[in-house]
Amino acid sequence: IVETSTTRVAFAGGVDDVVIQGLIIEKYAIPAQMGAIGEQHPGSGLKVTSSEVRLNHGTGIKVGSSGQVIGNYVHDNGDLGIENDNASGALIENNEIMANNWAGFSVGWAAGGIKSANAQNETVKGNYIHDNLGDGLWCDGNCSGGLYEGNIIINNAHNGIAHEISHSWRIRNNVIIANGFGTATQAMHGAGIIANESDNIEIYSNFLANNYRGIVLNMSPRNDCTIDRQPFTCDLSNDFIHDNTVVQGTGLAAALYQNVNTDDYYTQKDNRFVNDRYCLGKSMPGQVYWWRNGYRSHADWTRHGQDSSGSTSCPGVF
């Protein structure tokens, strides 16, 4: 049986304060980075609740400013489950988002569970995000003022949570397990949580277990932003990672990685790990941290001022 669709969109954008509730939205021929609900430019105040959105070619739901996506089952869409671009005040809460990107779009472009860009004051909380071919949760490009809280993020092929070329954000109380094993990883990707070229990020009170890599701060050269160009800057600075638990049976537990021609990101940018707990497998090698362009032991990690108040004591974990 071969099915094809020529109908582009279920609900196009441009109208404000639309409420969609209790529907099944499926098999629309929406292009990538556009939503079967919301199309390319969703109206403000769009609210999608208690619906199932599945088997669409591009993104399932695209939400705009003051939009709400609450209590939906968003799965098996060709590109992304949910997308939020150029919008302020969106809420994405208590959804199950799974098995998206069946069409095989590039995970470095836009694919997986949720992707936002230029999103201001976005809240993503209480979602179950799993088994997506790409990132579980990703904000890319000039995102600021948002919160990721209380999400369960499991078995996504690329990063669990990625915050890229963006600004102030809180990432707290999430459970992040077994992400990063399904795609070829570049640089320090395949992490439970990664902050790429982003500033003023606070990552705390999360539980991470057996991701390809644990928590990563990454500064790499880019041609799409600069350190000093406003408002679109990309600088790894003042990132505060604290009070997380990282369970790592193999691989890298934590990293501050930079490959730009300066040492500032290790010494002057106020990027710091404080009071984190690392539960490391007995078969782990001695060097499971990355600092100053090399693998380091826990003693080296703390000697350089990272997690001096942290712990590797985890009775009953391994």
Side-chain angles (χ1 to χ4, degrees), residues 117-141:
N118 192 26
Q120 314 302 315
N121 304 311
E122 176 188 68
T123 299
V124 182
K125 65 180 183 179
N127 300 282
Y128 179 29
I129 306 168
H130 64 100
D131 296 286
N132 297 283
L133 181 57
D135 289 325
L137 180 50
W138 178 15
C139 212
D140 179 19

Side-chain angles (χ1 to χ4, degrees), residues 7-311:
T7 304
R8 176 186 173 98
V9 62
F11 294 94
V15 179
D16 296 339
D17 301 318
V18 172
V19 177
I20 298 167
Q21 181 174 358
L23 300 181
I24 295 175
I25 307 295
E26 66 175 9
K27 301 179 182 177
Y28 284 87
I30 191 72
Q33 292 194 321
M34 302 183 193
I37 297 174
E39 202 182 32
Q40 187 174 9
H41 302 293
S44 67
L46 171 65
K47 186 174 183 179
V48 184
T49 66
S50 305
S51 295
E52 183 174 0
V53 184
R54 68 192 186 194
L55 298 172
N56 301 289
H57 177 257
T59 294
I61 302 170
K62 188 160 187 174
V63 65
S65 290
S66 302
Q68 297 183 14
V69 182
I70 302 173
N72 302 283
Y73 182 28
V74 185
H75 66 100
D76 292 287
N77 295 286
D79 182 14
L80 287 155
I82 300 171
E83 193 171 357
N84 173 30
D85 294 346
N86 304 306
S88 177
L91 171 65
I92 302 171
E93 182 177 14
N94 293 341
N95 304 280
E96 182 175 1
I97 303 155
M98 67 162 287
N100 295 288
N101 192 25
W102 57 257
F105 289 98
S106 168
V107 301
W109 178 63
I114 300 173
K115 184 180 181 183
S116 303
N118 192 26
Q120 314 302 315
N121 304 311
E122 176 188 68
T123 299
V124 182
K125 65 180 183 179
N127 300 282
Y128 179 29
I129 306 168
H130 64 100
D131 296 286
N132 297 283
L133 181 57
D135 289 325
L137 180 50
W138 178 15
C139 212
D140 179 19
N142 204 32
C143 301
S144 65
L147 171 68
Y148 298 153
E149 179 177 44
N151 300 286
I152 298 172
I153 303 172
I154 297 176
N155 199 37
N156 298 283
H158 202 217
N159 303 295
I161 294 177
H163 200 69
E164 183 175 359
I165 51 175
S166 291
H167 312 294
S168 56
W169 211 269
R170 289 172 297 162
I171 302 172
R172 68 187 184 195
N173 298 323
N174 300 284
V175 174
I176 304 165
I177 300 172
N179 299 280
F181 292 94
T183 61
T185 54
Q186 58 192 13
M188 283 285 166
H189 288 242
I193 302 175
I194 185 168
N196 294 300
E197 300 85 37
S198 295
D199 60 88
N200 294 288
I201 314 305
E202 187 177 11
I203 301 169
Y204 62 102
S205 300
N206 300 284
F207 177 84
L208 301 91
N210 293 327
N211 300 284
Y212 185 76
R213 295 183 172 101
I215 301 176
V216 174
L217 301 182
N218 175 48
M219 183 68 197
S220 297
R222 304 188 67 115
N223 59 14
D224 51 359
C225 59
T226 64
I227 291 173
D228 56 1
R229 187 175 69 211
Q230 297 293 336
F232 202 55
T233 61
C234 52
D235 188 33
L236 191 77
S237 62
N238 196 34
D239 294 329
F240 185 22
I241 296 86
H242 64 95
D243 296 288
N244 302 283
T245 296
V246 180
V247 179
Q248 205 70 24
T250 60
L252 192 68
L256 200 165
Y257 175 87
Q258 61 113 100
N259 62 350
V260 294
N261 190 27
T262 176
D263 207 40
D264 289 356
Y265 296 95
Y266 296 120
T267 59
Q268 299 181 30
K269 293 287 188 175
D270 201 26
N271 297 304
R272 60 212 186 274
F273 292 74
V274 176
N275 202 40
D276 298 294
R277 183 173 73 148
Y278 300 99
C279 306
L280 307 177
K282 294 179 180 178
S283 62
M284 290 276 280
Q287 296 178 313
V288 295
Y289 306 88
W290 184 276
W291 176 265
R292 286 185 179 269
N293 299 322
Y295 288 99
R296 305 291 177 180
S297 67
H298 187 78
D300 286 337
W301 181 247
T302 57
R303 182 170 60 84
H304 287 291
Q306 301 302 326
D307 279 315
S308 57
S309 59
S311 170

